[in-house]
Structures are given as C-alpha cells and as structure tokens.
Amino acid sequence: MAQTPPSSTRDRILDAANRLFYGEGIRAVSVDAIAEKAGITKKTLYYHFKSKDDLVAEYLVSRDQPNLTAFATWFEEAEGDVADKTAAIFLRLSENARHPKWKGCGFIRTAAELANMPGHPAVVVGAKHKKKFEAWLGDCYQQAGLKEPEMLARRVVLLMEGAFSTMLIHRDPSYAEEAAEAARCVVCLQM
C-alpha cells in the first residue's frame, strides 16, 4: 500500500494559514500563530513567504481553483436546463453555508478586511478569482446559446456576491435559496 508523502513545509504553512485566516480573519491571525499551527519556526515561515501579505495572497491563490472546481461540479451535476444548473450553484452554496464551520466567502472577507488597501496582493488575487468565475459562467451561457452571455454572467455574479454577503451578515442560508430563484428567473429571460 502506497503511503502519501508528507506534505511540504510550504503546504503545511498554507494549510495552517487557510484554517486560521478563514476561521478568524487575516488581521486577527499573527504570523506566530500560523508558524505554531504549522509546527515550524517563524524564520522557516519567512523562508517560504517573504511577508504576511505574501502569505495572505497565497492563501487566496490556494482557494481559487478548488472553489471554481466546486462551482463547475455543482453546475455540471445538476439536472435540468442552464437556468436549473445556475440555480443549483446557489442551492449547493446554501447547503454548505449550513455547516457550522462556514464563515462566508474567504475572498470577500479578505477584501473587506483590506478595503483601505485596494492594491494589496490578496485583493488583486480575489478580484481575479471573481473575474474567473464570471468568465466561466459567461462561457457556460455562450455554449448554451443564451443571449448576451457576458451580461447575464455579470448579473448572476451580482446575485452570488449578494447571497454571500447577506448570508454572512444574517447567518441565514435561505438567502442563497432566494438568490437561486432570482438567478433562475434572470437566466430564463435570456433563453
């Protein structure tokens, strides 16, 4: 039986950063806390990441593809037409938001914490992530032959970001369920 090779030190640091930044927020978590959680020294952390800002950006980079893959999987696994598939993304988001460890969108939370620093590397990573999701959705709509796919993707993204934010404020996943129905209606208008 093959054993999984031990993760690299960099991976252990990113794993610790993911758990702490997502769970507590980037400003609340010190580099010392991340090093301790990763079982390394602060000097070792700085060997792999030049600054906390660099680590925060890499934390979001590490979340980028898994999140995009999850949305694509939810879309593809859903039954029905493209409107149903779009609604399914929101419904699955609602399911995930019911988990006790759910703390909202890490990209939005990071951008909010860094609102006074628009050029911060993590804000740039977050903006790219959101644009990738919008472009992917636009491609899905174009492949489905919908009218104005880019505009439609932008409207659905607005619903998604509103659902993320409202669920975080109210701690109520039913907002994503309502956004699912709104998204379904918006997509149906372009079919």
Side-chain angles (χ1 to χ4, degrees):
M1 181 173 183
Q3 290 188 353
T4 305
S7 64
S8 71
T9 301
R10 182 178 174 82
D11 290 342
R12 286 194 349 257
I13 296 167
L14 276 172
D15 182 59
N18 254 294
R19 287 185 275 142
L20 291 170
F21 287 153
Y22 185 75
E24 300 175 30
I26 60 169
R27 293 190 188 230
V29 174
S30 68
V31 172
D32 290 322
I34 295 166
E36 182 179 330
K37 185 93 167 164
I40 60 164
T41 65
K42 192 159 83 168
K43 182 179 178 180
T44 300
L45 186 146
Y46 281 122
Y47 174 79
H48 292 278
F49 298 93
K50 64 183 177 188
S51 66
K52 182 178 178 184
D53 289 342
D54 184 41
L55 180 55
V56 172
E58 287 299 314
Y59 146 71
L60 291 182
V61 167
S62 74
R63 296 178 77 85
D64 176 61
Q65 198 54 54
N67 285 358
L68 295 173
T69 299
F71 291 133
T73 299
W74 298 345
F75 185 88
E76 292 302 321
E77 289 177 349
E79 295 183 12
D81 60 23
V82 71
D84 296 323
K85 289 177 175 291
T86 300
I89 296 171
F90 289 86
L91 295 173
R92 291 292 296 273
L93 176 61
S94 175
E95 289 173 22
N96 284 342
R98 294 179 194 292
H99 191 282
K101 290 185 179 179
W102 189 84
K103 305 264 187 196
C105 173
F107 296 94
I108 293 173
R109 289 179 53 219
T110 300
E113 285 194 62
L114 300 172
N116 64 334
M117 302 171 73
H120 190 283
V123 174
V124 172
V125 169
K128 286 180 182 176
H129 169 77
K130 296 297 183 174
K131 281 297 194 183
K132 283 183 197 175
F133 175 72
E134 184 177 332
W136 167 77
L137 205 51
D139 288 345
C140 291
Y141 295 154
Q142 184 173 23
Q143 290 172 15
L146 301 186
K147 297 177 261 179
E148 302 182 76
E150 293 83 14
M151 177 272 306
L152 179 57
R154 182 165 285 202
R155 289 179 179 170
V156 172
V157 164
L158 286 169
L159 289 168
M160 178 66 71
E161 300 312 319
F164 270 125
S165 298
T166 307
M167 286 190 302
L168 184 59
I169 291 168
H170 297 292
R171 302 292 183 197
D172 183 355
S174 70
Y175 282 97
E177 294 165 6
E178 293 301 327
E181 291 312 308
R184 187 188 318 273
C185 291
V186 168
V187 172
C188 283
L189 290 173
Q190 296 304 112
M191 295 174 83

